[in-house]
Amino acid sequence: MTATLTELRAGDVCRLAGISHRELDHWISTGRFIASGPPSSGGPGNHRTFTMADVYRLRAVKARREWGMELDAAFRTVDPPLPAPPAPPPS
């Protein structure tokens, strides 16, 4: 199933979040979702790892979509944009 309790594979995340692998891949490839897990440890290929926080975020997006919210809006409510960094002090 998983490498550790904190590192989840894509299949695990999809099953726990109730989304398809295709949805997850699309959301990642379009930049809407970024996995927060550490890089894959060992094995051939480049596999993403995820955390339970990712599962909760994806479940929240799925729920908002089921309520009729547009995809981008659903992601914005789950992952609001970061505030702009403060301006550098005058020199």
Side-chain angles (χ1 to χ4, degrees):
M1 182 177 163
T2 60
T4 70
L5 291 178
T6 58
E7 295 177 11
L8 302 170
R9 301 274 182 176
D12 300 323
V13 170
C14 292
R15 183 177 46 79
L16 293 168
I19 63 171
S20 70
H21 203 286
R22 184 176 176 170
E23 285 175 300
L24 178 62
D25 282 343
H26 176 71
W27 296 348
I28 290 171
S29 69
T30 58
R32 289 183 175 103
F33 182 77
I34 299 172
S36 64
S40 177
S41 54
N46 232 353
H47 297 285
R48 296 180 295 264
T49 61
F50 303 85
T51 64
M52 281 305 296
D54 293 328
V55 173
Y56 298 136
R57 289 168 46 218
L58 291 168
R59 289 178 82 176
V61 168
K62 181 184 178 199
R64 284 161 175 76
R65 293 286 293 142
E66 289 172 349
W67 298 334
M69 190 177 282
E70 291 184 8
L71 185 59
D72 288 331
F75 273 103
R76 278 194 307 272
T77 62
V78 172
D79 292 325
L82 297 174
S91 45

